[in-house]
Amino acid sequence: KMTYGEFNAALDSACQEDDFAKYRALWEYIWVVRKDNQAFDEALLADGGIKHLKYAFRHSDSTWREAGVRVCRTFFHNQEAREKLVLLDFVGSMMVLTMPKEGLDLEDDGGHDGAEEFGF
């Protein structure tokens, strides 16, 4: 087993090395501890662990971003984590993650002028 400090240090190393396999393996390994231990999450957040979530969900690689989002979801039960994710613009990052790579096609409106859709 790992303490939250050891886990946080290992995550820090994975992020610094940009080692996705290590990052994912660490979260999978620690799930058994976190699942029934709210105190572990609280200690992890108090130790600055949110920065590792931010690193993943804002990463340029979509594999990292997806993993970051999945891990963030496991913290939604925690009020402090939710507040920190709001400050980190988690929702905005989610929108970017789900946007097509080509971006929005603003020219093709599907034959609509938007009036009906938005009530204008």
Side-chain angles (χ1 to χ4, degrees), residues 70-120:
R70 289 181 185 277
V71 173
C72 285
R73 287 179 45 207
T74 69
F75 281 90
F76 286 175
H77 68 277
N78 183 295
Q79 178 67 31
E80 180 185 358
R82 287 194 311 268
E83 290 170 4
K84 288 182 177 187
L85 288 169
V86 166
L87 292 174
L88 295 173
D89 193 25
F90 177 73
V91 173
S93 295
M94 285 292 303
M95 292 179 74
V96 169
L97 177 64
T98 59
M99 189 179 288
K101 288 193 186 285
E102 308 83 47
L104 295 175
D105 184 357
L106 298 176
E107 297 299 317
D108 181 13
D109 63 5
H112 303 349
D113 62 4
E116 291 175 14
E117 185 176 349
F118 297 107
F120 296 125

Side-chain angles (χ1 to χ4, degrees), residues 14-27:
C15 291
Q16 286 181 9
E17 298 166 6
D18 202 38
D19 186 341
F20 176 74
K22 182 177 180 180
Y23 184 86
R24 182 177 174 146
L26 284 164
W27 283 111

Side-chain angles (χ1 to χ4, degrees), residues 25-80:
L26 284 164
W27 283 111
E28 288 174 357
Y29 171 80
I30 210 68
W31 174 247
V32 176
V33 174
R34 289 185 58 225
K35 177 171 66 166
D36 298 319
N37 187 355
Q38 296 262 354
F40 188 91
D41 282 358
E42 291 167 7
L44 189 60
L45 290 169
D47 198 34
I50 200 85
K51 68 183 174 188
H52 303 117
L53 298 175
K54 176 184 172 184
Y55 178 84
F57 76 73
R58 287 198 177 168
H59 200 283
S60 60
D61 183 314
S62 63
T63 305
W64 272 94
R65 289 193 307 267
E66 182 180 346
V69 167
R70 289 181 185 277
V71 173
C72 285
R73 287 179 45 207
T74 69
F75 281 90
F76 286 175
H77 68 277
N78 183 295
Q79 178 67 31
E80 180 185 358

Side-chain angles (χ1 to χ4, degrees), residues 2-16:
M2 294 175 123
T3 66
Y4 68 87
E6 293 167 336
F7 179 71
N8 209 16
L11 278 178
D12 195 47
S13 171
C15 291
Q16 286 181 9

